[in-house]
Every structure is written in structure tokens, then in C-alpha cells.
Amino acid sequence: MNQENNFLVFAGTKSQYLTEEICKYLNCPLGKMKVDRFADGEFAVYYEESIRGKDVYLVQSTFPTADNLLELLLMVDAAKRASAHYIVAVIPYFGWARQDRKDKPRVSIGAKLIADMLCAAGISRLITMDLHADQIQGFFNVPVDHLYASSVFTEYIKDNLSLENLVIATPDVGGTKRANSYAKYFGVPMVICHKSRLKANVVDEMRIIGDVEGKDVLLIDDIVDTAGTITKAANLMMENGAKSVRAIASHAVMSDPATSRIEQSALNEMIFTNSIPYHGGGKNVRILSVAKMFAEAIRRVSSHESISLLYNL
């Protein structure tokens, strides 16, 4: 696939590594764009080639810092002012997604605000992956293609892990629906960890609902931030007689001290996608690429084909 198909793919600064891989699968060149940065931290975006009448796909995950989100907004605005025909924001990791509801008085709903900002900037469509809450799709007034990393994870599990007594587990009640999909797919039991928090990123108490004795446990989550929950759950599984514990999570936010916690935990393996660049290393951390999945989604959207065949859960 090439530019004759009337679309161009551009990369935000912090997602260039993933966009280059996406372009290889699409057999198209990476679009030429430049970000000028000023001494005070301000920056400006401009395209170094004509995008008039083109469908443009702008790839940028909006993980901290907020500069990544602002850069994407400027990319969208510049594309709109350059007369792009169709502007698709490709956001592998949608930041602020944990602020999806008003769960206490006088609190912001960050996910809705970000959706409004992207729509106001001028996006025509959103392609994203494993939103923290499915209802965020309804915050947008444009079509949303919500991809799932499960297609990447299930392939890896089947091809690389020989787990005879597999049990799917969720580190918190909120992830039950996600974990249940994996349990049904593999035809295995599911257990749940029930946790209570004193405050954000601090787990007070956790207990297991279900039996893990002699089992190969696979924990399912969408985001690992400080790794407090996932490592506490893994350690609890081993304390309750599990044979082995592994974990998969779509987005490696990995704020300090996440890397050291994972290395010191009972986890045999921690598996992420490359939706966010992770350079922390760790002998038991593995990164799987979602470039092929996003490339296929872009190809299908550009050719007006269904993307439902990309889902296997």
C-alpha cells in the first residue's frame, strides 16, 4: 500500500517508533512533519508536504507528560488548516481514561474533556486500543474504532506458553469482564482478586475469590502504573498455592517504582504491548508489538472495510 491510496501516516514525537513499524506493514512512507521547539518549552507543528485533500492518520499516544496530548491537538489543527480531507487520530494509549466518571463530589471527568478537545480540534475519527472504560467511546461525536490487544496476547499465549493448568485471573473486580472474555476463549476457570484502596495507587487489602492451588495463573489487566496491584495479586496467588503466575497488560505506564516491584515479585513474566515506549528493562518483562494490528485497522478504514474481523474475543 502506498500514497496512491490517498492517505498519509504521520507520527507524533513519542510514538514515532510505533508509526515507523506501522508504515512498514502498510508499505507506505512515513509522512514528513516537523515540530519546532522554543526555549520556553512552547512548540509548533507543521507538515513538510502537501496534505490537501488527503486522508491523514496521526499516530500519538497521550501518556504523560501532557505535551504528548498537546502535540497531537496541534497536529490535528495543522491538518485541518492545511485542508486535509479526513483526519484520523490514532491513539494506541488514550491517557486520562481512568477519569471516566464522577466518582466523588467536585471532580473532573478528564476523559470527556480530552474527547471534547480532540473533536473541537477537528478529528474525523478515532482509532484507539483497550480503553480503561468502554463507555469513553460515547464521549466522542465522531466514529470510534476500539481495538483490543487480545488478538496479540492470545496468539502469544498459544504459541509460546505451555500452561497445562491455566486459570485466568483479574487483579480487581473492575477487570472481571475483560478476564471473563479470556476465560471463555481458552475454556478455563476464572478467579477474582478483590481489593480495597486507601487512596490512588495504594492497595490496602486484597483477597482471592476462587481456587488457584496447583494452577498456572494468568493475570489480565489493561494498565500497569506503579505495579502495586498486579504484583500484590501475583504474590497472593503464589501464597495460595499457585504453580506459576504471569500477567498481561495492554499499556505499560510503569511509573516508579513499577520496574523494581515487578522484578522483586512472584511474576514469572510480565507482558505488555508497545502502545507506550518502555525502556525500563527487567528480565521478566516482555513487549509485544501492536503495529500490525493498527496497520490493518488503518488499511480497512481507508478502504471502507469492516474491522470486526480483527477481534477474536
Side-chain angles (χ1 to χ4, degrees):
M1 189 171 291
N2 52 45
Q3 284 184 308
E4 293 178 359
N5 290 279
N6 206 41
F7 73 83
L8 293 167
V9 181
F10 294 91
T13 302
K14 293 297 178 66
S15 293
Q16 184 154 345
Y17 70 99
L18 179 58
T19 315
E20 289 174 349
E21 196 176 343
I22 289 171
C23 287
K24 286 180 181 177
Y25 281 109
L26 289 170
N27 192 28
C28 72
L30 180 64
K32 297 176 182 176
M33 187 193 78
K34 191 171 183 181
V35 180
D36 281 340
R37 299 187 180 275
F38 303 101
D40 63 352
E42 187 177 320
F43 52 90
V45 170
Y46 68 94
Y47 296 95
E48 297 182 289
E49 59 185 300
S50 175
I51 59 174
R52 183 179 296 274
K54 299 283 188 180
D55 294 345
V56 295
Y57 293 81
L58 312 178
V59 184
Q60 176 78 309
S61 285
T62 56
F63 57 95
T65 63
D67 281 3
N68 294 320
L69 171 62
L70 183 55
E71 184 179 290
L72 175 60
L73 291 168
L74 291 173
M75 289 165 67
V76 173
D77 184 69
K80 180 175 67 174
R81 296 178 187 278
S83 300
H85 171 254
Y86 199 65
I87 304 170
V88 183
V90 181
I91 308 178
Y93 171 68
F94 185 88
W96 288 269
R98 285 172 282 184
Q99 300 179 44
D100 61 296
R101 65 196 183 281
K102 190 173 181 181
D103 56 355
K104 54 187 174 183
R106 299 174 296 281
V107 67
S108 63
I109 304 178
K112 170 60 175 169
L113 175 61
I114 303 307
D116 288 345
M117 292 168 67
L118 287 164
C119 290
I123 66 168
S124 309
R125 190 181 200 98
L126 171 70
I127 301 176
T128 189
M129 182 185 79
D130 282 352
L131 289 167
H132 184 66
D134 288 344
Q135 66 264 23
I136 292 173
Q137 297 173 75
F139 294 172
F140 288 85
N141 295 320
V142 298
V144 176
D145 295 309
H146 187 202
L147 308 181
Y148 296 96
S150 57
S151 59
V152 176
F153 286 135
T154 53
E155 183 178 336
Y156 176 80
I157 293 165
K158 288 188 294 184
D159 294 347
N160 298 277
L161 301 181
S162 299
L163 304 176
E164 297 178 358
N165 300 306
L166 178 63
V167 166
I168 300 297
T170 174
D172 56 43
V173 176
T176 303
K177 180 181 176 182
R178 184 182 305 108
N180 187 50
S181 298
Y182 280 84
K184 284 184 176 180
Y185 180 82
F186 288 108
V188 298
M190 182 183 77
V191 300
I192 300 170
C193 288
H194 181 268
K195 69 180 181 182
S196 59
R197 288 187 185 274
L198 290 171
K199 57 182 178 179
N201 295 129
V202 179
V203 178
D204 179 31
E205 183 184 14
M206 181 178 286
R207 62 187 66 182
I208 298 175
I209 303 172
D211 179 27
V212 297
E213 187 170 355
K215 305 293 186 180
D216 295 303
V217 179
L218 184 63
L219 286 158
I220 311 292
D221 212 345
D222 63 327
I223 297 171
V224 171
D225 189 350
T226 61
T229 298
I230 203 83
T231 54
K232 194 177 183 72
N235 295 340
L236 189 60
M237 296 294 172
M238 293 302 290
E239 290 168 10
N240 281 265
K243 181 181 176 183
S244 67
V245 185
R246 291 170 174 81
I248 59 176
S250 305
H251 309 296
V253 176
M254 296 296 282
S255 309
D256 284 336
T259 298
S260 60
R261 278 179 173 171
I262 287 174
E263 288 183 341
Q264 295 164 17
S265 74
L267 282 168
N268 297 79
E269 193 173 18
M270 180 72 239
I271 309 161
F272 295 114
T273 76
N274 60 345
S275 63
I276 299 175
Y278 174 63
H279 308 293
K283 62 182 184 298
N284 54 348
V285 175
R286 180 177 294 274
I287 306 295
L288 306 180
S289 177
V290 290
K292 184 177 181 180
M293 181 178 70
F294 274 98
E296 181 62 16
I298 290 171
R299 187 193 69 78
R300 287 175 177 268
V301 169
S302 66
S303 58
H304 309 290
E305 297 177 36
S306 170
I307 67 166
S308 60
L309 294 177
L310 297 178
Y311 306 143
N312 62 1
L313 291 187

